[in-house]
Amino acid sequence: MRHVARASVLAATCLSLAACSEGDGKRDPQPSPRTALEFGQTADTAGVDGKGIVQITPETVVYVDKAGTHTPEHDLFAVVTFKAGNRAKDPVTSTAAQGGFRWKTLDGKTIKAGNSEGAGSIAPKGFDDGGGRPTVRANSYQVNTVAFDITTVQKGGTLVYVDGDGVAFRWKVSLTNSGPAAHALKTALK
């Protein structure tokens, strides 16, 4: 009887291992799906070329139909504030200025940050800059913004950040203006 039980455990273990491994022995180059975080939650991400760690924390989203002299090509600008932090003794560079941020709509469409002339030019006063200053000094953080030109039905969805190792981090985006800097950001965008 013990022999049968051992054989069953051994068979189950082999099946589990076979299901977990890939037949060709190569690693899948695509990042594994991650659970979407909430705004305010921090992700430790790889810097450009995988060098260093940048802590990315999206905090606020504001939807506006005009930002200074810029008007959207679609219906709205979705402007997101995020903290980029660095606890190391050396500066680290995020992928924010290299297209690291994307907006994934509820219907699955992906929109890159700064996808129109207006969205690429938004730099609200009182924030470090627009578009995400890429280099974060040692032992510091900065609050940056990133903007997307979207249609009204594309509000909400998921903010995606792809780091220097190609790993995608995701945050759920509110359908309405929200976050600790919503009022200040909306005022700065006038």
Side-chain angles (χ1 to χ4, degrees), residues 64-72 77 117-123 189:
V64 294
D65 57 7
K66 188 173 183 182
T69 60
H70 305 290
T71 55
F77 291 124
E117 185 178 334
S121 301
I122 293 176
L189 291 168

Side-chain angles (χ1 to χ4, degrees), residues 17 28 32 89 124 174 186:
L17 289 173
D28 184 3
S32 62
K89 63 180 181 174
S174 172
K186 194 160 187 177

Side-chain angles (χ1 to χ4, degrees), residues 69-91:
T69 60
H70 305 290
T71 55
E73 291 177 12
H74 299 98
D75 301 325
L76 301 166
F77 291 124
V79 184
V80 175
T81 66
F82 67 96
K83 281 185 183 177
N86 177 11
R87 292 188 189 174
K89 63 180 181 174
D90 296 316

